[in-house]
Amino acid sequence: MSTKHSLAAAEFLKDSGKALWHDQTLWMVRQKRDRMSRSLPEWEQLRDAACALKMYSNSHLAELLTEFEANAIKNGATVHWANDAQEYRETVLKILKDHGVKLFIKSKSMLAEECALNPFLEGNGIETVESDLGERIVQLMHVKPSHIVLPAVHIKREEIGRLFEKEMGTEPGNCDPTYLTHAARKNLRQIFKKADAAMTGANFAVASTGEVVVCTNEGNADIGTSLHRLQIAAFGLEKIVPDLDSLGVFTRLLARSGTGQPSTTYTTHYSRPQKGGEFHIIIVDNGRSRILAEKDHVRTLNCLRCGACMNTCPVYRRSGGYSYTYFIPGPIGINLSMLKNPEKYYDNVSACSLCMSCSNVCPAKVDLGEQIYLWRQALDGLGKADRMKKFISDSMEIVMEHPVLFNTAVKAAPLVDALPRPMIYSKLNAWGEGREMPQFAKESFNSLWKKGKVK
Amino acid sequence: MVTDNSRLNKMKIGLFIPCYVNAVYPQVGVASYRLLRHLGLDVDYPADQTCCGQPMANAGFEDSARELAEDLDDKFAGYDYVVGPSASCAVFIKDHYPALLKNKSHRCHTEEKVYDICGFIHDIVRPASLDASFPHKVSIHNSCHGVRLLGLSSPSERNIPYYNKLRNLLSLVRDIEIVEPERHDECCGFGGMFSIEEDAVSVAMGRSKIQRHMDTGAEYITGADSSCLMHQEGIIRREHLPIKTIHIVEILAGGLQDDSIHLTGSLPRTADKRFKGNQQI
């Protein structure tokens, strides 16, 4: 009885020192988030408001998105619509080709990850450089982000020191974070200058103003977009918010939830192209509008991509982002992967003890744990239920539906204690791998009651 | 009498005993019965109970839980309250039975009557005192479903004032020292079949949970869910750790025990001999 997740998690946990460090690092972020959330007496009302606003926005997409488009055009931007990942990639490529771009700098965007933009552009001869430090690290290492907000959270500073030594010629053995950050800055500055165009994702798109809002800490998105006259911003269509008042609800929640900061260092509103430049905005669906029809799962569209559910998830913290088979890990990743393709991603559904911490931490009240429970119910119908689990469940059903069988089984159970250890603690017994078996009582409650011993 | 129960005197309480308590921890069931009786309530046990269906449903097989839900719901139809020593099972009935039984011609009987015994005593019975004494340091295990689904304490994620019904109840016990571990409501990693499907993560979670309980210097881990305690006990026994588990009801019913019944298997699970309260009822 195992899934791709459980096997990868077991592997991750073999390096117990690193696993402990991973857990503690993310728990620190959760604690920072707790302190920040408690500094606002209106925190729970903000969550309610965020949820209500998202439910409103996502059920009024047509009018809000067209309002956004009209305002963005009025601001001088060019608006593109992409139905799926391919249209999104091709739109970006066409804009870049039309302007003869060879070197392209982009800030962090989970949408770009979702649509595999970088390999596509590289395949079409456009060198694409990530400007967010964490993203740059994983790009140079040729690995994927393991967290949606902290993409390199699984990598230790010593590894980054060795990487920068190779890639940027830093001092051997120096893994001081400030030193390495300065080295990365110097290195990226050159690329910023040489690049021909810049791209960002978006945290929010404001319908009433046609603005795209990008929240970052390093200022890398802003350098890119300031230096280059050709700018692209792309967002998934659920990023739309009605107006600036509602935006305020989300910006108050986002950084506090995600990284435990009162706000991100930079919250940039992009509306107009630079003088003589072009500003292209791409609105992407890629399966999102289909989620609107899934009434049990529609609240996944509330997600702000803050990462709080990952930081709080006891399973994510102890198994790492790579143990999930979808590019977004953790509770929201489990749900989004099942909405994307359940037959491909069902292995992630095991990665949940149903502790419901995620549902309580989420700033937009996505019912993450409740939805994972529902996905588990769907696995059998998809033919993806674990056979051993189903067998155990069926056997339990038969025994539990017949009190006589239950009572007989319980009566016989203490005999198990008399069996030789190797028979009980075999490879087939996952419980016994790290735990002693529960010891059955000599007499069950049912039996004690019948004999009048309960008094 | 320790409390004025005139308002509850005419109420019929059906004792709900979950499967694993029935089979592994019957002493928790006995303590529950004695405690409720001690509080002056009319308690009965609908015989031959088995399981509420949660293990199957959480694993993804709600259909296997449906008939059990029907049986359990029928068994308790005539009671005013359904009370059991398990937060997780109680809330499964509360949250999932209405949907599981939606095709029945009548409304689900148990949904609004079911209580975890701690929530029931705390919110409904509201005793001013208990006759128990437990001269030990205990670390509260705030189990996930108790905290986040039943509201037995304030979830650490939420910005709401701190409260803890288990702590309030334990505060009625004499000579006890009550603490909570760091990360006081982080999951212990039981999670039903999660514990065997994701056994590596489950055991890792259990280990760190137990370590945090031990770091408080407590002699006992106590909580409202025997399932979480069973998982932790399995690790404690495997690794010979210097801490014990005890269901909160066993502490609250301290002194009501009948020593002539040997309820446990070969290893002692209940508290040691110092665990006594005064016998007056």
Side-chain angles (χ1 to χ4, degrees):
Chain A
M1 190 185 339
S2 55
T3 62
K4 284 179 187 164
H5 179 274
S6 72
L7 294 171
E11 202 55 38
F12 178 86
L13 286 164
K14 277 185 185 157
D15 187 347
S16 56
K18 192 165 177 181
L20 187 68
W21 167 80
H22 188 266
D23 166 65
Q24 286 172 340
T25 304
L26 288 155
W27 183 259
M28 254 164 49
V29 185
R30 157 78 206 269
Q31 285 179 306
K32 280 171 73 182
R33 171 261 171 217
D34 288 352
R35 282 195 291 274
M36 273 299 142
S37 66
R38 298 219 170 94
S39 69
L40 295 185
E42 68 274 33
W43 182 257
E44 299 299 332
Q45 287 99 299
L46 277 174
R47 290 176 71 228
D48 289 337
C51 179
L53 282 165
K54 280 285 179 186
M55 297 302 281
Y56 171 82
S57 304
N58 289 328
S59 55
H60 294 75
L61 280 176
E63 60 191 82
L64 291 174
L65 288 169
T66 46
E67 184 187 350
F68 172 86
E69 181 187 36
N71 286 322
I73 291 170
K74 226 182 282 172
N75 294 336
T78 309
V79 178
H80 308 260
W81 298 80
N83 192 38
D84 54 24
Q86 193 184 343
E87 279 188 26
Y88 156 84
R89 292 190 298 259
E90 281 169 0
T91 306
V92 176
L93 181 65
K94 182 167 188 315
I95 298 166
L96 298 181
K97 284 238 154 125
D98 286 350
H99 293 79
V101 172
K102 293 272 183 297
L103 177 62
F104 182 47
I105 190 133
K106 64 178 277 291
S107 71
K108 186 170 158 33
S109 161
M110 288 317 288
L111 181 63
E113 286 291 331
E114 175 184 328
C115 299
L117 179 67
N118 292 15
F120 176 77
L121 293 179
E122 297 278 350
N124 281 281
I126 295 173
E127 190 184 349
T128 306
V129 177
E130 292 288 345
S131 63
D132 171 86
L133 180 55
E135 285 288 343
R136 183 69 182 144
I137 291 166
V138 296
Q139 185 180 38
L140 287 170
M141 283 188 161
H142 308 288
V143 295
K144 298 269 178 207
S146 75
H147 185 289
I148 62 172
V149 172
L150 312 161
V153 70
H154 61 297
I155 303 170
K156 298 198 95 166
R157 66 163 91 158
E158 291 77 11
E159 298 170 71
I160 297 168
R162 286 194 292 276
L163 175 75
F164 282 14
E165 190 187 320
K166 185 169 76 125
E167 297 287 343
M168 303 174 193
T170 55
E171 291 169 15
N174 192 339
C175 57
D176 174 64
T178 309
Y179 170 73
L180 293 177
T181 307
H182 284 163
R185 175 151 86 171
K186 219 166 128 185
N187 180 277
L188 274 169
R189 277 289 150 92
Q190 299 310 314
I191 302 168
F192 274 121
K193 279 193 222 159
K194 276 192 270 174
D196 308 302
M199 179 170 182
T200 69
N203 296 92
F204 308 101
V206 185
S208 66
T209 62
E211 292 165 355
V212 169
V213 181
V214 178
C215 304
T216 62
N217 278 323
E218 297 165 13
N220 55 302
D222 303 82
I223 296 193
T225 52
S226 304
L227 284 174
H228 302 292
R229 292 201 296 184
L230 177 59
Q231 179 189 351
I232 304 172
F235 61 86
L237 47 77
E238 87 285 12
K239 296 286 177 198
I240 195 80
V241 300
D243 52 26
L244 291 170
D245 283 344
S246 47
L247 176 71
V249 172
F250 296 111
T251 49
R252 296 189 75 201
L253 286 164
L254 178 68
R256 286 187 171 92
S257 297
T259 50
Q261 299 166 275
S263 74
T264 42
T265 316
Y266 300 89
T267 300
T268 309
H269 295 228
Y270 294 108
S271 55
R272 284 182 295 277
Q274 287 195 31
K275 220 175 192 178
E278 289 177 27
F279 180 29
H280 293 265
I281 299 171
I282 310 171
I283 304 172
V284 185
D285 184 339
N286 201 31
R288 285 162 176 76
S289 56
R290 197 171 44 81
I291 298 175
L292 288 171
E294 302 264 356
K295 82 172 165 42
D296 290 336
H297 302 285
V298 71
R299 279 216 235 167
T300 53
L301 291 172
N302 287 16
C303 175
L304 309 182
R305 301 291 191 270
C306 72
C309 63
M310 287 158 213
N311 305 337
T312 204
C313 177
V315 179
Y316 173 84
R317 278 187 272 108
R318 289 177 182 81
S319 60
Y322 295 154
S323 63
Y324 301 77
T325 60
Y326 195 54
F327 79 105
I328 298 180
I332 186 63
I334 296 172
N335 284 301
L336 291 173
S337 69
M338 289 304 282
L339 285 163
K340 180 62 81 180
N341 186 345
E343 292 184 350
K344 186 169 174 191
Y345 295 116
Y346 65 89
D347 282 274
N348 300 316
V349 174
S350 66
C352 174
S353 65
L354 294 175
C355 81
M356 303 294 169
S357 183
C358 49
S359 301
N360 283 276
V361 94
C362 177
K365 300 188 106 167
V366 181
D367 47 348
L368 294 150
E370 290 84 348
Q371 291 191 37
I372 294 172
Y373 174 88
L374 293 176
W375 281 120
R376 285 198 181 153
Q377 308 310 320
L379 288 187
D380 202 18
L382 291 164
K384 299 296 182 191
D386 184 276
R387 281 168 60 198
M388 181 59 99
K389 255 169 87 180
K390 191 168 159 62
F391 172 75
I392 294 173
S393 192
D394 288 347
S395 313
M396 279 183 81
E397 181 187 354
I398 294 167
V399 173
M400 298 299 185
E401 280 170 3
H402 301 88
V404 175
L405 284 182
F406 175 73
N407 290 337
T408 311
V410 170
K411 210 167 175 182
L415 299 175
V416 173
D417 291 345
L419 291 174
R421 269 188 85 81
M423 274 187 72
I424 306 172
Y425 296 97
S426 71
K427 279 227 155 72
L428 290 170
N429 176 3
W431 176 278
E433 196 74 22
R435 286 163 290 223
E436 291 294 297
M437 295 300 284
Q439 288 187 308
F440 285 84
K442 284 182 185 154
E443 201 154 18
S444 71
F445 188 86
N446 279 345
S447 162
L448 288 168
W449 180 265
K450 272 187 203 154
K451 293 181 183 167
K453 288 183 181 177
V454 181
K455 49 193 173 199
Chain B
M1 291 296 277
V2 290
T3 182
D4 168 26
N5 278 325
S6 50
R7 69 203 152 87
L8 288 168
N9 279 348
K10 295 195 178 72
M11 295 291 180
K12 282 178 70 182
I13 316 292
L15 181 62
F16 159 52
I17 299 296
C19 52
Y20 59 92
V21 171
N22 209 323
V24 183
Y25 301 107
Q27 75 274 16
V28 172
V30 175
S32 302
Y33 178 77
R34 286 178 182 157
L35 181 60
L36 293 169
R37 293 277 297 171
H38 174 68
L39 292 166
L41 303 168
D42 177 8
V43 189
D44 189 24
Y45 178 72
D48 282 336
Q49 292 177 38
T50 61
C51 172
C52 67
Q54 180 179 207
M56 302 77 146
N58 281 5
F61 307 100
E62 266 188 351
D63 283 343
S64 294
R66 206 173 311 276
E67 197 176 314
L68 293 170
E70 282 174 19
D71 286 352
L72 197 147
D73 199 56
D74 288 344
K75 264 198 166 78
F76 284 97
Y79 293 90
D80 299 303
Y81 290 101
V82 180
V83 180
S86 163
S88 190
C89 303
V91 80
F92 179 74
I93 293 173
K94 196 177 194 62
D95 286 357
H96 292 280
Y97 273 25
L100 281 172
L101 303 178
K102 64 174 186 285
N103 292 331
K104 300 286 275 189
S105 55
H106 60 80
R107 203 173 157 211
C108 170
H109 302 298
T110 45
E111 170 193 1
E112 285 176 354
K113 297 179 191 166
V114 69
Y115 279 83
D116 152 68
I117 191 165
C118 292
F120 179 72
I121 294 174
H122 187 278
D123 297 348
I124 307 293
V125 185
R126 300 199 293 272
S129 65
L130 289 173
D131 288 340
S133 161
F134 194 67
H136 300 281
K137 188 169 182 177
V138 300
S139 181
I140 301 179
H141 184 69
N142 296 302
S143 49
C144 299
H145 291 182
V147 176
R148 299 189 187 85
L149 297 177
L150 264 191
L152 290 179
S153 64
S154 46
S156 61
E157 299 86 6
R158 307 279 300 279
N159 186 0
I160 55 176
Y162 172 87
Y163 69 90
N164 191 323
K165 296 179 186 178
L166 303 194
R167 183 184 277 273
N168 295 347
L169 290 175
L170 287 170
S171 302
L172 300 176
V173 175
R174 286 192 312 280
D175 311 317
I176 195 169
E177 189 184 347
I178 310 159
V179 293
E180 289 179 66
E182 256 196 289
R183 303 192 187 183
H184 59 85
D185 58 10
E186 187 182 27
C187 182
C188 68
F190 174 63
M193 282 198 215
F194 170 84
S195 62
I196 43 178
E197 186 166 39
E198 290 268 359
D199 65 302
V201 180
S202 170
V203 170
M205 286 163 70
R207 278 201 190 111
S208 52
K209 190 80 213 181
I210 295 163
Q211 186 58 52
R212 290 193 171 84
H213 281 303
M214 291 198 302
D215 289 346
T216 65
E219 299 155 77
Y220 290 91
I221 304 170
T222 192
D225 274 291
S226 291
S227 49
C228 308
L229 297 176
M230 176 172 80
H231 160 68
Q232 292 175 79
E233 189 198 310
I235 297 170
I236 290 169
R237 278 170 45 218
R238 169 62 56 86
E239 302 186 5
H240 306 290
L241 301 173
I243 196 162
K244 288 167 272 190
T245 58
I246 183 169
H247 194 283
I248 186 169
V249 167
E250 295 178 87
I251 297 178
L252 301 177
L256 308 174
Q257 240 80 343
D258 179 349
D259 287 341
S260 66
I261 302 176
H262 295 285
L263 298 163
T264 55
S266 50
L267 273 184
R269 275 200 202 84
T270 45
D272 61 36
K273 288 295 174 198
R274 283 179 295 165
F275 174 13
K276 71 185 276 293
N278 75 47
Q279 302 280 339
Q280 61 159 44
I281 295 182

